[in-house]
Amino acid sequence: QQLGDATKAADRNRARVEAARGYLETILAHLSSGVLALNERGELRTFNQAASNILGVNLESYVGFTLDKITVKQTRLESFLNAIAAHTEQDDAQAATQKDEIQTQIELASAQGKQILTLRGTRLPDGGYVAVFDDATTMIQAQRDAAWGEVARRLAHEIKNPLTPIQL
């Protein structure tokens, strides 16, 4: 009877874990941000489709690879992967004195030109690491366009302003 009860409890726990996993996979699949999860050895554990789309790389073939090995095959991603690796490879002494979080902006060269990624990452309780990133290229370009538009508007005002007294 105890064995039967233990088996039922194990089955219930397995069902809960599978439900939680399905829930998490559904959330990750529908995020517009890219997500990379690394295990405690720094190997790519999982990712979402947005990560592959943003980076322009099929990450499925790199599951189980360390960031160094991925960098060798995808040199275009070197600065991005090195930024993550710098925070995942800290020893215990550094981890005690520094936060294991990263928040930075990285520029990558792509076929379409310069790509700007905003990267945030943190250490997981199991010793792994999660990195979340977005393609901020269009947002930054829109900010630049708005700034130049404001410069042009003010310049036009300054040019027009002295002409008013002359006209009068």
Side-chain angles (χ1 to χ4, degrees):
Q1 183 182 0
Q2 286 178 340
L3 184 58
D5 291 343
T7 303
K8 287 177 187 176
D11 289 341
R12 280 193 306 270
N13 287 339
R14 189 174 15 262
R16 278 192 218 131
V17 167
E18 288 301 317
R21 183 180 181 91
Y23 179 75
L24 184 60
E25 285 177 358
T26 302
I27 290 171
L28 288 176
H30 292 89
L31 284 177
S32 61
S33 298
V35 178
L36 298 178
L38 307 174
N39 63 20
E40 65 280 355
R41 294 180 302 278
E43 300 166 339
L44 181 62
R45 182 174 163 190
T46 189
F47 62 94
N48 66 352
Q49 187 58 44
S52 286
N53 295 343
I54 292 170
L55 297 176
V57 174
N58 180 10
L59 294 171
E60 186 67 38
S61 57
Y62 296 111
V63 171
F65 281 54
T66 62
L67 296 178
D68 294 339
K69 290 179 182 175
I70 297 172
T71 301
V72 169
K73 296 189 180 273
Q74 295 292 330
T75 55
R76 183 180 76 80
L77 303 177
E78 182 175 5
S79 60
F80 173 73
L81 296 173
N82 285 345
I84 297 170
H87 288 273
T88 61
E89 296 172 353
Q90 293 180 354
D91 61 23
D92 292 335
Q94 284 179 313
T97 60
Q98 289 183 334
K99 288 172 54 176
D100 287 332
E101 296 181 4
I102 182 176
Q103 186 167 354
T104 188
Q105 205 171 60
I106 297 166
E107 291 184 14
L108 297 178
S110 69
Q112 294 79 26
K114 184 170 61 173
Q115 184 181 25
I116 300 169
L117 302 179
T118 57
L119 170 65
R120 292 168 304 283
T122 190
R123 187 155 307 282
L124 296 171
D126 68 356
Y129 202 83
V130 65
V132 179
F133 54 95
D134 290 297
D135 187 351
T137 308
T138 54
M139 181 182 68
I140 289 174
Q141 186 60 43
Q143 287 174 342
R144 278 193 197 122
D145 292 346
W148 278 112
E150 180 66 16
V151 167
R153 186 187 68 75
R154 288 181 185 214
L155 187 60
H157 175 74
E158 291 301 322
I159 290 171
K160 181 182 163 195
N161 203 18
L163 293 179
T164 303
I166 293 172
Q167 263 183 335
L168 293 174

